[in-house]
Amino acid sequence: MRIQIFVNCALLLAGVSRAKNPTVKRPLLTRQQKIEHALTRANHEQETEDYNSFQRCEGSLHRRVICLPLTEHFDPPPGQQGHGKLQVSDRVSIPKELMTGVFKRCPVPPWQFEIRKIPQAAGKDDDNDEEEEEEEEDASLESALAAVAAAADAAEVGGTAAEAGGGASKGKEGGHSDPAAAAAASRQLEHLYCHVLDWQAPRNYVFVPRWMMTALKLKPREVIELTWCRLREGKQVTLKPHTKDFVNWANPQAVMESELKYYSSLTLGSTIVIDYKGAKHALEVVRVVDGEEQLDGANIQDVNVAVDFEGVGPQIAKNKAKRATAGRGV
């Protein structure tokens, strides 16, 4: 840990950082400010390490970890499952130190964890420049989720299709972020379930898809709780599409079968993202059941899950009938 502190200080004092967005002007930090930021980050990491040292002594598979977004550097090689799907899955990069304990309890996958937001987590990083850069990178996804949620809400309260569609299209292109739309999308979650992408994260760190950070309203380097868990199998899930043209998809069930294979688990109340025809589409998880029992989350990996859609079933059936009639030349 002392080595890491010295490295952080050296990098900051030397002015070494990741490439910044050239369109955004940021004030230069003084030498004293760089030292203060380095010390703040070092204290942040040390507090996390102190907490986790006790967990290791207890043999626990619970940790507090510093959260960062997944980048393309974590993408599996071409040809491997999940390539190009990092941001439309529930896969996260976990510290290697947890691997042995997990394998002892569960030698075969799925290896699932719960990530939980800590209210007003201690040890927040004061490096505002870095946080601003990460937030800029998340802006398009946040705008898309806010806009599609606003479109769905407008439709429910009797808003016109044109208004809802306009908001969705602007969000899809990464357009303006309307505070009202953002408020409509603010269904605050406290936790999400996830699956292991790899065991390569540094000690006391975790890397998660950006949609998870958006869902939990996490900032880069915020501390969260990571706990190994066993999820029950979900027999049926109900999804609420937030995409205007969802009802026009030729075969939504086939799309779900293809895209949900990148999700090992689903969390009730979360809004997942899938990739279809080169665009990202948001779907809210409104129901997860095992038989007759409602679950707050479920394992769907290697499970025969029935998928239903809320609010669009009649329209999908109507469009399907139209296509069938057109195909017969009637």
Side-chain angles (χ1 to χ4, degrees):
M1 180 54 66
R2 289 192 178 90
I3 294 176
Q4 191 169 9
I5 293 173
F6 293 149
V7 169
N8 285 339
C9 291
L11 289 176
L12 286 170
L13 290 174
V16 179
S17 64
R18 296 170 300 144
K20 301 291 184 181
N21 187 338
T23 63
V24 179
K25 295 182 180 180
R26 296 183 176 87
L28 296 177
L29 298 178
T30 65
R31 181 185 179 92
Q32 182 61 31
Q33 288 174 322
K34 292 177 180 179
I35 294 175
E36 290 175 354
H37 287 178
L39 291 175
T40 298
R41 181 172 297 184
N43 289 332
H44 182 191
E45 294 173 345
Q46 189 60 57
E47 289 172 2
T48 305
E49 171 63 20
D50 292 344
Y51 179 90
N52 289 337
S53 294
F54 176 78
Q55 302 300 325
R56 295 185 193 103
C57 292
E58 295 292 316
S60 169
L61 293 181
H62 167 80
R63 297 287 189 275
R64 283 190 174 176
V65 288
I66 300 169
C67 181
L68 289 171
L70 281 174
T71 66
E72 67 276 6
H73 303 293
F74 291 87
D75 199 11
Q80 289 191 13
Q81 183 177 1
H83 174 70
K85 297 290 186 176
L86 282 179
Q87 303 303 332
V88 288
S89 74
D90 66 342
R91 266 57 173 178
V92 305
S93 183
I94 301 289
K96 188 176 181 179
E97 66 166 329
L98 292 171
M99 182 174 65
T100 302
V102 171
F103 284 3
K104 285 181 179 178
R105 294 166 173 80
C106 182
V108 296
W111 301 307
Q112 290 157 337
F113 284 79
E114 178 194 42
I115 57 176
R116 181 172 290 274
K117 184 179 178 69
I118 304 174
Q120 299 179 349
K124 260 179 119 173
D125 188 12
D126 290 336
D127 192 349
N128 294 327
D129 290 344
E130 182 174 349
E131 289 187 3
E132 287 175 6
E133 180 177 353
E134 298 291 355
E135 290 170 1
E136 288 162 11
E137 292 173 356
D138 289 345
S140 60
L141 178 57
E142 292 175 354
S143 298
L145 292 177
V148 294
D153 291 341
E156 289 177 358
V157 299
T160 65
E163 291 171 346
S169 61
K170 289 178 183 178
K172 185 176 175 181
E173 296 300 325
H176 70 278
S177 179
D178 185 353
S186 61
R187 299 176 176 88
Q188 179 62 33
L189 286 173
E190 296 299 328
H191 74 121
L192 286 168
Y193 296 110
C194 59
H195 190 268
V196 175
L197 169 68
D198 58 39
W199 306 92
Q200 301 302 317
R203 184 158 155 160
N204 302 328
Y205 279 81
V206 67
F207 294 81
V208 307
R210 295 188 183 279
W211 74 263
M212 287 190 174
M213 298 193 70
T214 300
L216 294 176
K217 300 188 184 304
L218 296 172
K219 293 183 179 180
R221 303 190 65 84
E222 187 169 337
V223 175
I224 61 174
E225 292 185 341
L226 178 71
T227 309
W228 178 73
C229 62
R230 289 180 182 269
L231 293 176
R232 293 168 57 180
E233 294 183 353
K235 302 300 183 183
Q236 183 175 2
V237 299
T238 302
L239 304 176
K240 181 180 180 181
H242 287 176
T243 300
K244 183 187 68 168
D245 64 344
F246 181 85
V247 295
N248 298 320
W249 292 4
N251 192 341
Q253 292 287 352
V255 174
M256 291 299 103
E257 183 177 349
S258 172
E259 296 303 318
L260 284 182
K261 68 183 180 183
Y262 301 110
Y263 286 85
S264 169
S265 61
L266 291 176
T267 307
L268 183 67
S270 64
T271 299
I272 64 172
V273 180
I274 65 169
D275 195 4
Y276 179 60
K277 290 187 175 180
K280 289 182 171 58
H281 304 274
L283 299 100
E284 182 182 351
V285 182
V286 297
R287 190 165 179 260
V288 182
V289 297
D290 175 17
E292 296 298 325
E293 184 176 352
Q294 173 80 21
L295 306 175
D296 78 326
N299 168 42
I300 62 169
Q301 181 171 324
D302 301 325
V303 177
N304 186 16
V305 181
V307 180
D308 193 13
F309 303 104
E310 181 178 286
V312 295
Q315 187 62 42
I316 290 177
K318 183 178 179 180
N319 291 348
K320 187 176 181 180
K322 285 182 179 180
R323 286 192 293 268
T325 302
R328 294 195 298 268
V330 178

